[in-house]
Amino acid sequence: MAASCSLVCFRFSNGSVNNADKLDFTMYKSADEKNPRKKSRRMMVAETNRLSYVGSNFGAGSLKCNNLCKYYVGVLNKQTMQMELHSAQLFNMQPVIPGETTNAAKPPDTSKTYRDKVDSLIEAFGTNKQKRALSSRRLNQVGSDTLQQAVAKAASTVIDQKGLEALQQEVAETEAQGDLALHLPPCNADADKPENVYPFDDLLSPVEFEALEKAGSKLAALTPEELQKMKDEGGCQSVVKRLENMPTVGDARDNTARCAYYLSLLLKLARQKSITRKCELQNMVSTSMRAKLAAYSLALLLHMGHMTADLTLLHRDLGITEARMTEIAKSMGLTLSRPARGKDDEAGQRDEHRHASLVLPLVKYDQFMERRKRKKMH
């Protein structure tokens, strides 16, 4: 619990503090005030934007001088010109790094557990009260084992009734739903219009959309030659395709240009391995984050292309496999298709690009069968 103290003196182990005003100090005291050995224990915490410091008046890291003598701090009252003395404590503030342990882990004793050793000591030297508690705990353990056996028997009965394959399918569907929640944008499956299934404002808020006015106007002003140069230099093909097919004038052209610029930012982020943030900290772009970026990019492309998007160009821009892109499109309930075979197919000019369209009602794919197919392929 938090505590108040009149005066406290600090000593930081890794140097002096230049801006003490930026430190947030909090003192904690032991909640066990009835124990004479613990009621005087105090812990001081100093927090900054980059690091936290912790000091205490007990334990291995405490200063022994607090036990050998008393410290006082004199405060001069400028009005009365008298010195007031206040008792004080010294705290050695140590930096705390998350995930770092101070004590080396001891190798476990595989021959006998700690609980077994304590039980042996209680049996040999424990009081009558401790022995009764030990006996009660062992009886409860027997009851717990009996309960586990009953649960195992009930599970076996359910498997016999439903069948193992049916249970595996239920588990696969549950896991698939959990995976979807990690990367899918907000979805309204009961929407009456395709454009309301993945609302545009959930992909790009009105505030963000307004902030893209200047950047979007620059893309809208690109000439056909500049677009061709961007295409030849390996720019995002999904963005180039949308810019090539923009409306000629009006708000529709401006909206498409803004969305294209935002899409280019998403694709650029997905291709990076790490993101550098404040204080030069780097966060890795995980696989789940890359899948989330792919889902949001696909939803944005649907709004830009009359609820149809080119999956082949998108997966190339994202740097992921076509199979992964197809899996994300299926998880969004989209309809997959390839252009129909035409007269020019024999000449080798057939468009092999795969497209995804949002058609109501959404397609519900069999997740369990998809996983079975991937296992057979491996």
Side-chain angles (χ1 to χ4, degrees), residues 265-283:
L265 296 180
L266 295 179
L267 298 177
K268 180 180 179 181
L269 181 60
R271 295 296 295 265
Q272 293 180 354
K273 295 183 179 180
S274 61
I275 307 172
T276 303
R277 290 192 173 186
K278 186 179 179 181
C279 303
E280 299 183 357
L281 294 177
Q282 287 190 347
N283 288 357

Side-chain angles (χ1 to χ4, degrees), residues 41 74 105 116-117 121 150 154 200 258 292-293 310:
R41 292 183 175 182
D116 294 336
K117 294 179 181 179
L121 291 175
F200 182 80
R258 297 188 193 188
K292 185 173 184 179
L293 291 170
D310 191 324

Side-chain angles (χ1 to χ4, degrees), residues 79-90:
Q79 296 180 353
T80 61
M81 296 306 295
Q82 292 183 354
M83 183 73 72
E84 298 178 358
L85 293 180
H86 298 269
S87 60
Q89 293 188 45
L90 295 181

Side-chain angles (χ1 to χ4, degrees), residues 108-140:
D109 186 4
T110 57
S111 60
K112 203 172 187 180
T113 63
Y114 175 78
R115 170 59 62 184
D116 294 336
K117 294 179 181 179
V118 173
D119 292 346
S120 300
L121 291 175
I122 292 176
E123 289 178 344
F125 307 103
T127 62
N128 293 333
K129 183 178 180 180
Q130 290 175 332
K131 291 180 179 179
R132 287 196 300 269
L134 175 60
S135 178
S136 176
R137 181 166 57 81
R138 288 179 173 174
L139 289 176
N140 291 336

Side-chain angles (χ1 to χ4, degrees), residues 158-333:
V158 172
I159 293 175
D160 294 338
Q161 292 177 353
K162 286 190 174 183
L164 182 59
E165 185 173 352
L167 291 175
Q168 287 178 343
Q169 183 173 358
E170 292 180 3
V171 172
E173 292 177 354
T174 304
E175 290 179 352
Q177 294 176 357
D179 294 339
L180 299 184
L182 296 176
H183 65 260
L184 285 188
C187 177
N188 181 16
D190 299 328
D192 55 346
K193 296 180 180 180
E195 56 268 21
N196 295 332
V197 175
Y198 296 101
F200 182 80
D201 289 344
D202 291 336
L203 305 174
L204 188 58
S205 67
V207 177
E208 295 169 337
F209 186 77
E210 290 296 328
L212 295 172
E213 180 180 3
K214 184 177 180 180
S217 61
K218 293 182 179 180
L219 286 183
L222 292 177
T223 62
E225 292 77 12
E226 291 174 332
L227 290 177
Q228 184 62 38
K229 181 180 179 182
M230 181 188 300
K231 190 174 183 180
D232 297 338
E233 292 178 352
C236 296
Q237 301 301 309
S238 300
V239 177
V240 174
K241 183 178 180 180
R242 297 265 52 95
L243 293 176
E244 291 176 343
N245 297 279
M246 279 196 307
T248 55
V249 292
D251 294 338
R253 181 179 179 85
D254 178 63
N255 295 342
T256 302
R258 297 188 193 188
C259 294
Y261 182 78
Y262 187 72
L263 177 62
S264 66
L265 296 180
L266 295 179
L267 298 177
K268 180 180 179 181
L269 181 60
R271 295 296 295 265
Q272 293 180 354
K273 295 183 179 180
S274 61
I275 307 172
T276 303
R277 290 192 173 186
K278 186 179 179 181
C279 303
E280 299 183 357
L281 294 177
Q282 287 190 347
N283 288 357
M284 302 300 296
V285 180
S286 61
T287 304
S288 59
M289 177 57 69
R290 189 169 283 107
K292 185 173 184 179
L293 291 170
Y296 273 74
S297 300
L298 178 54
L300 186 60
L301 274 176
L302 291 174
H303 283 277
M304 298 171 64
H306 304 287
M307 294 295 114
T308 300
D310 191 324
L311 294 182
T312 302
L313 292 181
L314 183 57
H315 90 78
R316 292 174 183 173
D317 292 336
L318 290 167
I320 62 177
T321 62
E322 184 179 6
R324 181 58 171 163
M325 190 72 253
T326 303
E327 183 181 359
I328 294 173
K330 288 183 176 181
S331 67
M332 296 175 66

